[in-house]
Amino acid sequence: MSKQKIFNRGNVILTNLSNGYFGVAVVLSEREKTSDYFAKCHIAITPLLSEKEIKFEDIDLRY
């Protein structure tokens, strides 16, 4: 079916939860659309929450 993915495993997503609150999520897995299923992904929401906008350079991605 579709080969286009919105997210890939390991992507870091910066969120704007509500006006004035920002967070970080990580894509754990993804699956392409098939004839039987819609495309989907599993996303882990981190406990990082900030009233200051989070930018990628603010995050230490070393592990």
Side-chain angles (χ1 to χ4, degrees), residues 1 5 10 12 14 16 29 32 41 44 49 51 56 58 62:
M1 302 293 304
K5 293 181 185 178
V12 175
L14 301 179
N16 184 354
S29 67
E32 293 180 9
C41 63
L49 184 64
E51 292 180 359
F56 281 109
D58 297 334
R62 293 175 289 165

Side-chain angles (χ1 to χ4, degrees), residues 1 9-10 19 24 38 47-48 52-53 58:
M1 302 293 304
R9 190 177 82 191
N19 286 338
V24 178
F38 290 112
L48 297 173
K52 172 184 165 262
E53 183 175 0
D58 297 334

Side-chain angles (χ1 to χ4, degrees), residues 1 3 9 13 19 21-22 25 27-28 34 39 43-44 47-48 50-52 55-56 62:
M1 302 293 304
K3 293 291 183 181
R9 190 177 82 191
I13 304 166
N19 286 338
Y21 295 96
F22 301 89
V27 178
L28 300 177
T34 67
I43 297 175
L48 297 173
S50 175
E51 292 180 359
K52 172 184 165 262
K55 297 187 179 4
F56 281 109
R62 293 175 289 165

Side-chain angles (χ1 to χ4, degrees), residues 1-3 31-40:
M1 302 293 304
S2 171
K3 293 291 183 181
R31 181 179 70 199
E32 293 180 9
K33 181 179 179 181
T34 67
S35 58
D36 296 323
Y37 299 101
F38 290 112
K40 74 174 189 177

